Coordinates of all heavy atoms in Angstrom, one line a residue:
M215 N -7.9 13.7 -8.1 CA -7.2 13.4 -6.9 C -5.7 13.0 -7.3 O -5.5 12.2 -8.2 CB -7.8 12.3 -6.1 CG -9.2 12.6 -5.6 SD -9.7 11.4 -4.4 CE -10.3 12.5 -3.2
P216 N -4.8 13.5 -6.5 CA -3.4 13.1 -6.8 C -3.2 11.6 -6.4 O -3.5 11.2 -5.3 CB -2.6 14.0 -5.9 CG -3.5 14.9 -5.2 CD -4.9 14.5 -5.5
E217 N -2.6 10.9 -7.3 CA -2.2 9.5 -7.1 C -0.9 9.5 -6.4 O -0.1 10.4 -6.5 CB -2.1 8.8 -8.4 CG -3.3 8.7 -9.3 CD -3.1 8.1 -10.6 OE1 -1.9 8.1 -11.1 OE2 -4.0 7.6 -11.2
V218 N -0.7 8.4 -5.6 CA 0.6 8.1 -4.9 C 1.0 6.7 -5.2 O 0.2 5.8 -5.2 CB 0.4 8.4 -3.4 CG1 1.7 8.1 -2.7 CG2 -0.1 9.8 -3.1
R219 N 2.3 6.5 -5.5 CA 2.9 5.2 -5.7 C 4.1 5.1 -4.8 O 4.9 6.1 -4.7 CB 3.3 5.0 -7.1 CG 2.2 4.9 -8.1 CD 2.7 4.7 -9.5 NE 1.6 4.5 -10.5 CZ 0.9 5.6 -11.0 NH1 1.2 6.8 -10.6 NH2 -0.1 5.3 -11.8
F220 N 4.2 4.0 -4.2 CA 5.4 3.7 -3.3 C 6.1 2.5 -3.8 O 5.5 1.5 -4.3 CB 5.0 3.4 -1.9 CG 4.4 4.5 -1.1 CD1 3.1 4.6 -0.8 CD2 5.3 5.5 -0.7 CE1 2.6 5.6 -0.1 CE2 4.8 6.6 0.1 CZ 3.4 6.6 0.4
Q221 N 7.5 2.5 -3.7 CA 8.3 1.3 -3.9 C 8.5 0.7 -2.6 O 8.9 1.3 -1.6 CB 9.6 1.7 -4.6 CG 10.4 0.5 -5.0 CD 11.6 0.8 -5.8 OE1 12.3 1.8 -5.4 NE2 11.9 0.0 -6.8
L222 N 8.2 -0.6 -2.5 CA 8.4 -1.4 -1.3 C 9.6 -2.4 -1.5 O 9.7 -2.9 -2.6 CB 7.2 -2.2 -1.0 CG 5.9 -1.4 -0.8 CD1 4.7 -2.4 -0.7 CD2 5.9 -0.4 0.3
E223 N 10.4 -2.6 -0.5 CA 11.4 -3.6 -0.5 C 11.1 -4.7 0.5 O 10.9 -4.4 1.7 CB 12.8 -3.0 -0.2 CG 13.9 -4.0 -0.3 CD 15.3 -3.5 0.1 OE1 15.4 -2.4 0.6 OE2 16.2 -4.2 -0.2
W224 N 10.9 -5.9 0.0 CA 10.5 -7.0 0.8 C 11.7 -7.7 1.4 O 12.9 -7.4 1.1 CB 9.7 -8.0 -0.1 CG 8.5 -7.3 -0.6 CD1 8.3 -6.7 -1.7 CD2 7.3 -7.2 0.2 NE1 7.0 -6.1 -1.8 CE2 6.4 -6.4 -0.6 CE3 6.9 -7.6 1.4 CZ2 5.1 -6.1 -0.2 CZ3 5.6 -7.3 1.8 CH2 4.7 -6.5 1.0
P225 N 11.5 -8.6 2.4 CA 12.6 -9.2 3.2 C 13.6 -9.9 2.3 O 14.8 -10.0 2.7 CB 11.9 -10.2 4.1 CG 10.5 -9.6 4.3 CD 10.2 -9.0 3.0
D226 N 13.2 -10.4 1.2 CA 14.2 -11.1 0.3 C 14.9 -10.2 -0.7 O 15.5 -10.7 -1.6 CB 13.5 -12.3 -0.4 CG 12.3 -11.9 -1.3 OD1 12.1 -10.6 -1.4 OD2 11.7 -12.7 -1.9
G227 N 14.6 -8.9 -0.6 CA 15.3 -8.0 -1.5 C 14.5 -7.7 -2.8 O 14.9 -6.8 -3.6
Q228 N 13.3 -8.3 -2.9 CA 12.5 -8.0 -4.1 C 11.8 -6.7 -3.9 O 11.6 -6.2 -2.7 CB 11.5 -9.1 -4.3 CG 12.1 -10.4 -4.8 CD 11.1 -11.3 -5.3 OE1 10.1 -11.0 -6.0 NE2 11.2 -12.6 -5.0
F229 N 11.4 -6.0 -5.0 CA 10.7 -4.7 -4.9 C 9.3 -4.9 -5.6 O 9.1 -5.7 -6.5 CB 11.5 -3.7 -5.7 CG 12.8 -3.4 -5.1 CD1 14.0 -4.0 -5.5 CD2 12.9 -2.4 -4.1 CE1 15.2 -3.8 -4.9 CE2 14.2 -2.1 -3.5 CZ 15.3 -2.8 -3.9
S230 N 8.4 -4.0 -5.1 CA 7.1 -4.0 -5.7 C 6.6 -2.5 -5.6 O 7.2 -1.7 -4.8 CB 6.1 -4.9 -5.1 OG 5.9 -4.6 -3.7
T231 N 5.6 -2.2 -6.3 CA 5.0 -0.9 -6.3 C 3.6 -0.9 -5.7 O 2.8 -1.8 -6.2 CB 5.0 -0.2 -7.7 OG1 6.3 -0.2 -8.1 CG2 4.4 1.2 -7.6
L232 N 3.3 -0.1 -4.8 CA 1.9 0.0 -4.2 C 1.3 1.3 -4.7 O 1.9 2.4 -4.6 CB 2.0 0.0 -2.7 CG 0.6 0.1 -1.9 CD1 -0.2 -1.1 -2.2 CD2 0.9 0.2 -0.4
Y233 N 0.1 1.3 -5.2 CA -0.6 2.4 -5.8 C -1.8 2.8 -4.9 O -2.5 2.0 -4.3 CB -1.2 2.0 -7.2 CG -2.2 3.0 -7.7 CD1 -1.8 4.2 -8.3 CD2 -3.6 2.8 -7.4 CE1 -2.8 5.1 -8.8 CE2 -4.5 3.7 -7.9 CZ -4.1 4.8 -8.6 OH -5.1 5.7 -9.0
S234 N -2.0 4.1 -4.8 CA -3.1 4.7 -4.1 C -3.7 5.8 -4.9 O -2.9 6.6 -5.4 CB -2.8 5.2 -2.7 OG -3.9 5.9 -2.1
P235 N -5.0 5.9 -5.0 CA -5.6 7.0 -5.8 C -5.7 8.3 -5.0 O -6.1 9.3 -5.6 CB -7.0 6.5 -6.1 CG -7.3 5.7 -4.9 CD -6.0 5.0 -4.5
S236 N -5.2 8.3 -3.8 CA -5.3 9.5 -3.0 C -4.1 9.6 -2.0 O -3.5 8.7 -1.6 CB -6.6 9.4 -2.1 OG -6.6 10.3 -1.1
T237 N -3.8 10.9 -1.7 CA -2.7 11.2 -0.8 C -3.0 10.8 0.6 O -2.1 10.8 1.5 CB -2.3 12.7 -0.9 OG1 -3.5 13.4 -0.6 CG2 -1.8 13.0 -2.3
V238 N -4.2 10.4 0.9 CA -4.5 10.0 2.3 C -3.6 8.8 2.7 O -3.4 8.7 3.9 CB -6.0 9.6 2.4 CG1 -6.3 8.2 1.7 CG2 -6.4 9.5 3.9
I239 N -3.1 8.1 1.8 CA -2.1 7.0 2.1 C -0.9 7.5 2.9 O -0.3 6.8 3.7 CB -1.8 6.2 0.9 CG1 -1.2 4.8 1.3 CG2 -0.8 6.9 0.0 CD1 -1.0 3.8 0.2
L240 N -0.6 8.8 2.6 CA 0.6 9.4 3.3 C 0.4 9.5 4.8 O 1.4 9.7 5.6 CB 0.9 10.7 2.7 CG 1.4 10.7 1.2 CD1 1.4 12.1 0.7 CD2 2.7 9.9 1.1
E241 N -0.8 9.4 5.3 CA -1.1 9.4 6.7 C -0.7 8.0 7.3 O -0.6 7.9 8.6 CB -2.6 9.7 7.0 CG -3.0 11.1 6.5 CD -4.5 11.3 6.7 OE1 -5.2 10.6 7.4 OE2 -4.9 12.3 6.1
Y242 N -0.5 7.0 6.5 CA -0.3 5.7 7.0 C 1.2 5.2 6.6 O 1.8 4.5 7.4 CB -1.2 4.7 6.3 CG -2.7 4.9 6.7 CD1 -3.4 5.9 6.0 CD2 -3.3 4.2 7.7 CE1 -4.8 6.1 6.3 CE2 -4.6 4.5 8.1 CZ -5.3 5.4 7.4 OH -6.7 5.6 7.7
L243 N 1.6 5.5 5.4 CA 2.9 5.1 4.9 C 3.7 6.3 4.4 O 3.2 7.1 3.7 CB 2.7 4.1 3.8 CG 1.8 2.9 4.0 CD1 1.6 2.1 2.7 CD2 2.4 2.0 5.1
K244 N 5.0 6.2 4.7 CA 5.9 7.3 4.2 C 7.2 6.7 3.8 O 7.7 5.7 4.4 CB 6.1 8.3 5.3 CG 4.9 9.1 5.7 CD 5.3 10.2 6.8 CE 4.1 10.9 7.2 NZ 3.1 10.2 7.9
P245 N 7.9 7.3 2.8 CA 9.2 6.8 2.4 C 10.1 6.8 3.6 O 10.1 7.7 4.4 CB 9.7 7.8 1.4 CG 8.4 8.3 0.8 CD 7.4 8.4 1.9
G246 N 10.9 5.7 3.8 CA 11.8 5.6 4.9 C 11.2 4.7 6.0 O 11.9 4.2 6.9
D247 N 9.9 4.5 6.0 CA 9.2 3.7 7.1 C 9.6 2.2 6.9 O 9.9 1.8 5.8 CB 7.7 3.8 7.0 CG 7.1 5.1 7.5 OD1 7.8 5.9 8.1 OD2 5.9 5.3 7.2
S248 N 9.7 1.6 8.0 CA 10.0 0.1 8.0 C 8.9 -0.5 8.9 O 8.6 0.0 10.0 CB 11.4 -0.2 8.5 OG 11.6 -1.5 8.5
F249 N 8.3 -1.6 8.5 CA 7.3 -2.3 9.2 C 7.5 -3.8 9.2 O 8.1 -4.3 8.3 CB 5.9 -2.0 8.6 CG 5.5 -0.6 8.5 CD1 5.7 0.1 7.3 CD2 5.0 0.1 9.5 CE1 5.3 1.4 7.1 CE2 4.6 1.4 9.4 CZ 4.7 2.1 8.2
R250 N 6.9 -4.4 10.2 CA 6.8 -5.9 10.1 C 5.8 -6.2 9.0 O 4.9 -5.3 8.7 CB 6.3 -6.5 11.4 CG 7.3 -6.4 12.6 CD 6.7 -7.2 13.8 NE 5.3 -7.1 14.0 CZ 4.6 -6.3 14.7 NH1 5.3 -5.4 15.5 NH2 3.3 -6.3 14.8
V251 N 5.9 -7.3 8.3 CA 5.1 -7.6 7.2 C 3.6 -7.6 7.6 O 2.7 -7.0 6.9 CB 5.4 -9.0 6.6 CG1 4.4 -9.5 5.6 CG2 6.8 -8.9 5.9
S252 N 3.3 -8.1 8.8 CA 1.9 -8.1 9.3 C 1.4 -6.7 9.5 O 0.2 -6.4 9.2 CB 1.8 -8.9 10.6 OG 2.6 -8.4 11.6
E253 N 2.3 -5.8 10.0 CA 1.9 -4.4 10.2 C 1.6 -3.7 8.9 O 0.7 -2.9 8.8 CB 3.0 -3.8 11.1 CG 2.6 -2.4 11.5 CD 3.7 -1.8 12.4 OE1 4.9 -2.3 12.3 OE2 3.4 -0.8 13.0
L254 N 2.5 -3.9 7.9 CA 2.3 -3.3 6.6 C 1.0 -3.7 6.0 O 0.3 -2.9 5.4 CB 3.5 -3.6 5.7 CG 3.3 -3.1 4.3 CD1 3.4 -1.6 4.3 CD2 4.1 -3.7 3.3
E255 N 0.7 -5.0 6.1 CA -0.6 -5.5 5.6 C -1.8 -4.8 6.2 O -2.6 -4.2 5.5 CB -0.7 -7.0 5.7 CG -2.0 -7.5 5.2 CD -2.2 -9.0 5.3 OE1 -1.4 -9.7 6.0 OE2 -3.1 -9.5 4.7
S256 N -1.8 -4.7 7.5 CA -2.9 -4.0 8.2 C -3.0 -2.5 7.9 O -4.0 -2.0 7.5 CB -2.6 -4.2 9.7 OG -3.6 -3.5 10.4
L257 N -1.8 -1.8 7.9 CA -1.8 -0.4 7.6 C -2.2 -0.1 6.1 O -2.9 0.8 5.8 CB -0.5 0.2 7.9 CG -0.2 0.5 9.4 CD1 1.3 0.9 9.6 CD2 -1.1 1.5 10.0
G258 N -1.6 -1.0 5.3 CA -1.9 -0.8 3.8 C -3.3 -1.0 3.5 O -3.9 -0.2 2.7
V259 N -4.0 -2.0 4.1 CA -5.4 -2.2 3.8 C -6.2 -1.0 4.3 O -7.1 -0.5 3.6 CB -5.8 -3.5 4.5 CG1 -7.4 -3.6 4.5 CG2 -5.2 -4.7 3.7
K260 N -5.9 -0.5 5.5 CA -6.6 0.6 6.1 C -6.4 1.8 5.2 O -7.4 2.6 4.9 CB -6.1 1.0 7.5 CG -6.6 0.0 8.5 CD -6.0 0.5 9.9 CE -6.3 -0.6 10.9 NZ -5.7 -0.2 12.2
A261 N -5.2 2.0 4.7 CA -4.9 3.2 3.8 C -5.6 3.1 2.5 O -6.2 4.1 2.0 CB -3.4 3.3 3.6
L262 N -5.6 1.9 1.9 CA -6.3 1.7 0.6 C -7.8 1.9 0.8 O -8.4 2.5 -0.1 CB -6.0 0.4 0.0 CG -4.5 0.2 -0.5 CD1 -4.2 -1.2 -0.7 CD2 -4.3 1.1 -1.7
R263 N -8.4 1.5 1.8 CA -9.8 1.6 2.1 C -10.1 3.1 2.3 O -11.2 3.6 1.8 CB -10.3 0.7 3.2 CG -10.3 -0.7 2.8 CD -10.7 -1.6 3.9 NE -10.6 -3.0 3.4 CZ -10.9 -4.1 4.1 NH1 -11.2 -3.9 5.4 NH2 -10.7 -5.3 3.6
A264 N -9.3 3.8 3.0 CA -9.5 5.2 3.2 C -9.4 6.0 1.9 O -10.2 6.9 1.7 CB -8.5 5.8 4.2
A265 N -8.5 5.6 1.1 CA -8.3 6.2 -0.2 C -9.6 6.0 -1.1 O -10.1 6.9 -1.7 CB -7.1 5.7 -1.0
S266 N -10.1 4.8 -1.1 CA -11.3 4.4 -1.8 C -12.5 5.2 -1.3 O -13.3 5.7 -2.1 CB -11.6 2.9 -1.8 OG -12.7 2.6 -2.6
D267 N -12.6 5.4 0.0 CA -13.6 6.2 0.6 C -13.5 7.6 0.2 O -14.6 8.3 -0.1 CB -13.6 6.1 2.1 CG -14.0 4.7 2.6 OD1 -14.6 3.9 1.9 OD2 -13.8 4.4 3.8
R268 N -12.3 8.1 0.1 CA -12.1 9.5 -0.3 C -12.6 9.7 -1.8 O -13.2 10.7 -2.1 CB -10.7 9.9 -0.1 CG -10.5 11.4 -0.2 CD -9.1 11.8 0.2 NE -9.1 12.1 1.6 CZ -8.1 12.6 2.2 NH1 -7.0 13.0 1.5 NH2 -8.1 12.9 3.5
V269 N -12.3 8.7 -2.6 CA -12.7 8.8 -4.0 C -14.2 8.8 -4.0 O -14.9 9.5 -4.8 CB -12.1 7.6 -4.8 CG1 -12.8 7.5 -6.2 CG2 -10.6 7.8 -5.0
R270 N -14.8 7.9 -3.2 CA -16.3 7.8 -3.2 C -16.9 9.1 -2.8 O -17.9 9.5 -3.3 CB -16.7 6.7 -2.3 CG -18.3 6.5 -2.2 CD -18.7 5.5 -1.1 NE -17.8 4.4 -0.9 CZ -17.9 3.2 -1.5 NH1 -18.8 3.0 -2.4 NH2 -17.1 2.2 -1.2
A271 N -16.4 9.7 -1.8 CA -16.9 11.0 -1.3 C -16.8 12.1 -2.4 O -17.7 12.9 -2.5 CB -16.2 11.4 0.0
R272 N -15.8 12.1 -3.1 CA -15.6 13.1 -4.1 C -16.4 12.8 -5.4 O -16.9 13.7 -6.0 CB -14.1 13.3 -4.4 CG -13.9 14.4 -5.5 CD -12.5 14.9 -5.4 NE -12.4 16.0 -6.3 CZ -11.2 16.6 -6.5 NH1 -10.2 16.3 -5.8 NH2 -11.2 17.6 -7.3
Y273 N -16.4 11.6 -5.9 CA -16.9 11.2 -7.2 C -18.2 10.4 -7.2 O -18.8 10.2 -8.2 CB -15.9 10.5 -8.0 CG -14.7 11.3 -8.3 CD1 -13.5 11.0 -7.7 CD2 -14.7 12.4 -9.2 CE1 -12.3 11.8 -7.9 CE2 -13.5 13.2 -9.4 CZ -12.4 12.9 -8.8 OH -11.3 13.6 -9.0
G274 N -18.6 9.9 -6.0 CA -19.8 9.2 -5.9 C -19.7 7.7 -6.1 O -20.6 7.0 -6.1
F275 N -18.4 7.2 -6.3 CA -18.2 5.8 -6.5 C -16.8 5.5 -6.0 O -15.9 6.3 -5.9 CB -18.3 5.4 -8.0 CG -17.5 6.2 -8.9 CD1 -16.1 5.8 -9.1 CD2 -18.0 7.3 -9.5 CE1 -15.3 6.5 -10.0 CE2 -17.2 8.0 -10.4 CZ -15.8 7.7 -10.6
A276 N -16.6 4.2 -5.5 CA -15.4 3.8 -5.0 C -14.4 3.5 -6.1 O -14.7 3.3 -7.2 CB -15.6 2.5 -4.1
C277 N -13.1 3.5 -5.7 CA -12.0 3.2 -6.7 C -11.8 1.7 -6.7 O -11.3 1.2 -5.7 CB -10.8 4.0 -6.3 SG -9.4 3.6 -7.4
T278 N -12.2 1.1 -7.8 CA -12.0 -0.4 -7.8 C -10.6 -0.8 -7.9 O -10.2 -1.9 -7.5 CB -12.8 -1.0 -9.1 OG1 -12.3 -0.3 -10.2 CG2 -14.3 -0.8 -8.9
R279 N -9.7 0.1 -8.3 CA -8.3 -0.3 -8.4 C -7.8 -0.5 -6.9 O -6.8 -1.3 -6.8 CB -7.5 0.8 -9.1 CG -6.0 0.4 -9.2 CD -5.3 1.1 -10.2 NE -3.9 0.7 -10.2 CZ -2.9 1.4 -10.8 NH1 -3.2 2.4 -11.5 NH2 -1.7 1.0 -10.7
T280 N -8.3 0.2 -5.9 CA -7.8 -0.1 -4.6 C -8.2 -1.5 -4.1 O -7.4 -2.1 -3.4 CB -8.4 1.0 -3.6 OG1 -9.8 0.9 -3.6 CG2 -7.9 2.4 -3.9
D281 N -9.3 -2.0 -4.6 CA -9.6 -3.4 -4.3 C -8.5 -4.4 -4.9 O -8.1 -5.3 -4.2 CB -10.9 -3.8 -4.8 CG -12.1 -3.1 -4.2 OD1 -11.9 -2.6 -3.0 OD2 -13.2 -3.0 -4.8
E282 N -8.1 -4.1 -6.1 CA -7.1 -4.8 -6.8 C -5.7 -4.7 -6.0 O -5.0 -5.7 -5.8 CB -6.9 -4.4 -8.2 CG -8.1 -4.7 -9.1 CD -8.0 -3.9 -10.4 OE1 -6.9 -3.5 -10.8 OE2 -9.1 -3.8 -11.1
E283 N -5.4 -3.5 -5.6 CA -4.2 -3.2 -4.9 C -4.2 -4.0 -3.5 O -3.2 -4.5 -3.1 CB -4.0 -1.7 -4.7 CG -3.5 -1.0 -5.9 CD -2.2 -1.4 -6.4 OE1 -1.2 -1.4 -5.7 OE2 -2.1 -1.8 -7.6
E284 N -5.3 -4.0 -2.9 CA -5.5 -4.7 -1.6 C -5.2 -6.2 -1.8 O -4.5 -6.8 -1.0 CB -6.8 -4.4 -1.0 CG -7.0 -5.1 0.4 CD -8.3 -4.9 1.0 OE1 -9.0 -3.9 0.8 OE2 -8.8 -5.8 1.8
S285 N -5.8 -6.7 -2.8 CA -5.6 -8.2 -3.1 C -4.1 -8.4 -3.4 O -3.5 -9.4 -2.9 CB -6.4 -8.6 -4.3 OG -7.8 -8.5 -4.0
Q286 N -3.5 -7.6 -4.2 CA -2.1 -7.7 -4.5 C -1.2 -7.6 -3.2 O -0.3 -8.4 -3.0 CB -1.6 -6.7 -5.5 CG -0.2 -6.8 -5.9 CD 0.1 -8.2 -6.6 OE1 -0.6 -8.6 -7.5 NE2 1.2 -8.8 -6.1
L287 N -1.5 -6.6 -2.4 CA -0.8 -6.5 -1.1 C -0.9 -7.7 -0.3 O 0.1 -8.2 0.3 CB -1.3 -5.2 -0.4 CG -0.6 -5.0 1.0 CD1 0.9 -4.7 0.8 CD2 -1.4 -3.8 1.7
R288 N -2.1 -8.3 -0.2 CA -2.2 -9.5 0.6 C -1.5 -10.7 0.0 O -0.9 -11.5 0.7 CB -3.7 -9.9 0.7 CG -4.5 -8.9 1.6 CD -5.9 -9.3 1.8 NE -6.7 -8.3 2.5 CZ -6.8 -8.2 3.8 NH1 -6.0 -9.0 4.6 NH2 -7.6 -7.3 4.4
R289 N -1.4 -10.8 -1.3 CA -0.6 -11.8 -2.0 C 0.9 -11.6 -1.6 O 1.6 -12.6 -1.3 CB -0.8 -11.8 -3.5 CG -2.1 -12.5 -3.9 CD -2.1 -12.7 -5.4 NE -2.2 -11.5 -6.2 CZ -3.2 -10.8 -6.5 NH1 -4.4 -11.2 -6.0 NH2 -3.2 -9.7 -7.2
W290 N 1.4 -10.4 -1.7 CA 2.8 -10.1 -1.4 C 3.1 -10.5 0.1 O 4.1 -11.2 0.3 CB 3.1 -8.7 -1.6 CG 3.2 -8.1 -3.0 CD1 3.5 -8.9 -4.1 CD2 2.9 -6.8 -3.4 NE1 3.4 -8.0 -5.2 CE2 3.0 -6.8 -4.8 CE3 2.5 -5.7 -2.7 CZ2 2.8 -5.6 -5.5 CZ3 2.3 -4.5 -3.5 CH2 2.5 -4.5 -4.9
T291 N 2.2 -10.1 1.0 CA 2.5 -10.3 2.4 C 2.4 -11.8 2.7 O 3.1 -12.3 3.6 CB 1.6 -9.5 3.3 OG1 0.2 -9.8 3.1 CG2 1.8 -8.0 3.1
S292 N 1.6 -12.5 2.0 CA 1.5 -14.0 2.3 C 2.8 -14.8 2.0 O 2.9 -15.9 2.4 CB 0.3 -14.6 1.5 OG 0.6 -14.6 0.1
R293 N 3.7 -14.2 1.2 CA 4.9 -14.8 0.9 C 6.0 -14.8 2.0 O 7.0 -15.5 1.9 CB 5.5 -14.2 -0.4 CG 4.7 -14.3 -1.6 CD 5.3 -13.5 -2.7 NE 4.4 -13.5 -3.9 CZ 4.5 -12.7 -4.9 NH1 5.5 -11.8 -5.0 NH2 3.6 -12.7 -5.9
Y294 N 5.7 -14.0 3.0 CA 6.8 -13.7 4.0 C 6.2 -14.0 5.4 O 5.0 -14.1 5.6 CB 7.2 -12.3 4.0 CG 7.7 -11.9 2.6 CD1 6.9 -11.2 1.7 CD2 9.0 -12.3 2.2 CE1 7.4 -10.9 0.4 CE2 9.5 -12.0 0.9 CZ 8.7 -11.3 0.0 OH 9.1 -11.0 -1.2
K295 N 7.1 -14.2 6.3 CA 6.7 -14.4 7.7 C 6.2 -13.1 8.3 O 6.8 -12.0 8.0 CB 7.9 -14.9 8.5 CG 8.3 -16.3 8.1 CD 9.5 -16.7 8.9 CE 10.0 -18.1 8.4 NZ 11.3 -18.5 9.0
P296 N 5.2 -13.1 9.1 CA 4.6 -11.9 9.7 C 5.6 -11.0 10.4 O 5.5 -9.8 10.4 CB 3.5 -12.3 10.6 CG 3.2 -13.7 10.2 CD 4.5 -14.3 9.6
E297 N 6.6 -11.6 11.0 CA 7.6 -10.8 11.8 C 8.8 -10.3 11.0 O 9.6 -9.5 11.5 CB 8.1 -11.6 13.0 CG 9.0 -12.8 12.6 CD 8.2 -14.1 12.2 OE1 7.0 -14.1 12.2 OE2 8.9 -15.1 11.9
E298 N 8.8 -10.6 9.7 CA 9.9 -10.1 8.8 C 9.6 -8.6 8.5 O 8.5 -8.2 8.7 CB 10.0 -10.9 7.5 CG 10.5 -12.3 7.7 CD 10.7 -13.0 6.4 OE1 9.7 -13.3 5.8 OE2 11.9 -13.3 6.1
N299 N 10.7 -7.9 8.1 CA 10.5 -6.5 7.9 C 10.4 -6.2 6.4 O 11.1 -6.8 5.6 CB 11.7 -5.7 8.5 CG 11.7 -5.7 10.0 OD1 10.6 -5.5 10.5 ND2 12.8 -5.9 10.6
V300 N 9.6 -5.1 6.1 CA 9.5 -4.6 4.7 C 9.7 -3.1 4.9 O 9.3 -2.5 5.9 CB 8.1 -5.0 4.1 CG1 7.0 -4.5 5.0 CG2 8.0 -4.5 2.7
R301 N 10.3 -2.5 3.9 CA 10.6 -1.1 3.9 C 9.9 -0.3 2.8 O 9.7 -0.8 1.7 CB 12.1 -0.8 3.7 CG 12.9 -1.3 4.9 CD 14.4 -0.8 4.8 NE 15.0 -1.0 3.5 CZ 15.8 -0.1 3.0 NH1 16.1 1.0 3.6 NH2 16.3 -0.3 1.8
V302 N 9.4 0.9 3.1 CA 8.9 1.8 2.1 C 10.1 2.6 1.6 O 10.6 3.4 2.3 CB 7.8 2.7 2.7 CG1 7.2 3.7 1.6 CG2 6.7 1.9 3.4
I303 N 10.5 2.3 0.4 CA 11.8 2.8 -0.1 C 11.6 4.3 -0.6 O 12.3 5.2 -0.2 CB 12.3 2.0 -1.3 CG1 12.6 0.6 -0.8 CG2 13.5 2.7 -1.9 CD1 13.7 0.5 0.2
S304 N 10.6 4.5 -1.4 CA 10.4 5.8 -2.0 C 9.0 6.0 -2.5 O 8.3 5.1 -2.8 CB 11.5 6.1 -3.1 OG 11.2 5.2 -4.2
Q305 N 8.7 7.3 -2.6 CA 7.5 7.7 -3.3 C 7.8 7.9 -4.8 O 8.8 8.6 -5.0 CB 6.9 8.9 -2.7 CG 5.5 9.3 -3.2 CD 4.9 10.5 -2.5 OE1 5.2 10.7 -1.3 NE2 4.1 11.2 -3.1
L306 N 7.1 7.3 -5.7 CA 7.5 7.4 -7.1 C 6.7 8.5 -7.7 O 5.5 8.8 -7.3 CB 7.2 6.0 -7.8 CG 7.9 4.8 -7.2 CD1 7.4 3.5 -7.8 CD2 9.4 4.9 -7.4
P307 N 7.2 9.1 -8.8 CA 6.5 10.2 -9.5 C 5.3 9.7 -10.2 O 5.2 8.5 -10.5 CB 7.6 10.7 -10.4 CG 8.6 9.7 -10.5 CD 8.5 8.8 -9.3

């Protein structure tokens, strides 16, 4: 499955990378999108779970890295106020 990585820019100007094992994440997040932190957390979790389900359907087991990415995403979002904005800067190669 094609992997997807996004660079995110947080309200304080810091950057992080979000990984997905499947392109299904593109149904939820796209470069140029801007979200409230709470919205990004919700969409990101849904996208990562959908990606893990897609891996499970294809290979017979879930992608454990998506669990790690979900935990990391929740740690990032907990640093900011829910109403602050975060941007999806780019899709990385």
Side-chain angles (χ1 to χ4, degrees):
M215 294 193 137
E217 298 176 337
V218 178
R219 288 179 181 82
F220 288 109
Q221 185 176 40
L222 304 174
E223 182 181 12
W224 297 95
D226 60 1
Q228 290 193 42
F229 295 92
S230 62
T231 302
L232 180 65
Y233 164 86
S234 171
S236 169
T237 57
V238 73
I239 197 168
L240 296 171
E241 296 175 16
Y242 299 84
L243 307 172
K244 293 180 183 68
D247 285 348
S248 183
F249 301 100
R250 289 186 328 263
V251 169
S252 60
E253 188 179 15
L254 176 73
E255 180 178 8
S256 176
L257 284 174
V259 167
K260 285 179 189 176
L262 289 167
R263 290 180 182 174
S266 185
D267 289 346
R268 195 170 270 191
V269 169
R270 182 188 324 270
R272 182 158 185 183
Y273 297 107
F275 54 87
C277 176
T278 57
R279 182 158 176 197
T280 58
D281 294 337
E282 295 167 18
E283 287 295 307
E284 181 179 331
S285 294
Q286 181 62 48
L287 179 63
R288 290 184 187 277
R289 281 191 296 276
W290 289 331
T291 59
S292 71
R293 298 176 186 165
Y294 305 99
K295 294 178 183 173
E297 68 277 2
E298 290 184 294
N299 289 319
V300 59
R301 292 188 317 137
V302 180
I303 297 297
S304 61
Q305 186 174 334
L306 302 171

